[in-house]
Amino acid sequence: MTADPPQQPEKTIVLVGLMGAGKTSVGRKLATMLEMDFVDVDEEISKAAGCSIEDIFEDYGEEPFRDVEERVIQRLLQEKPRVLATGGGAFMNPRTRPLIAECGISVWLRADLDVLVRRTSRRGGRPLLKNKDHKATLGKLIEERGPVYAEADIVVDSREDGPEVTARDIKQALLDFSSPTGQEPR
Ligand code: S3P
């Protein structure tokens, strides 16, 4: 007996949220569950530029990075539906948000400050946190960005018990989002 194929969303699932929220690890799991392709926007930018995000910030500054980020997301949203992990600042772009609203389903992966601090301390390569107090910086970013992330179509808490559990929560939230009455979508 073969299992039914998973119900795939018709739009790209766009994961947004702060550094350390788990967008990439959860996104990969979610894509596997939904049998969709996964793309990490920062990885795409890095590939296109031929260097790391850290180097882009260092050599050119944040503004050129944001321009490339906007264009890469624009391109990816015009392609086939998939799971997209964006960098933490991408959803703050006032031109990117309406595009995501039109072509995708946005999911805010929400996490507590302590969780973000713990997770970001495990991996470097994040220019906004370089040589900074992670707790103070992330705390400020939560205040600034939280209200904007809250505009996402779906809000899911990033769980501490592994990306698979959070990915399952998103999968369920997507089903509820596409058929809020509880009926199976036709
Ligand atoms: C950024 C987050 C990073 C990366 C860049 C800027 C931000 O991505 O895009 O360093 O503005 O929050 P992650 O959220 O994947 O770490």
Side-chain angles (χ1 to χ4, degrees), residues 19 23 42 53 65-66 69 87-89 123 126-128 145:
M19 298 170 272
K23 301 175 298 275
D42 279 351
I53 302 296
F65 169 78
R66 296 298 175 196
E69 182 178 53
R123 152 170 107 70
R126 292 186 165 109
L128 297 187
R145 294 179 176 180

Side-chain angles (χ1 to χ4, degrees), residues 19 113 128-129 132-142:
M19 298 170 272
L113 178 58
L128 297 187
L129 297 177
K132 299 251 175 67
D133 176 336
H134 284 201
K135 191 161 192 172
T137 307
L138 287 163
K140 209 161 148 248
L141 286 173
I142 287 179

Side-chain angles (χ1 to χ4, degrees), residues 142-155:
I142 287 179
E143 268 178 38
E144 281 169 18
R145 294 179 176 180
V148 179
Y149 291 147
E151 291 177 23
D153 296 312
I154 294 171
V155 181

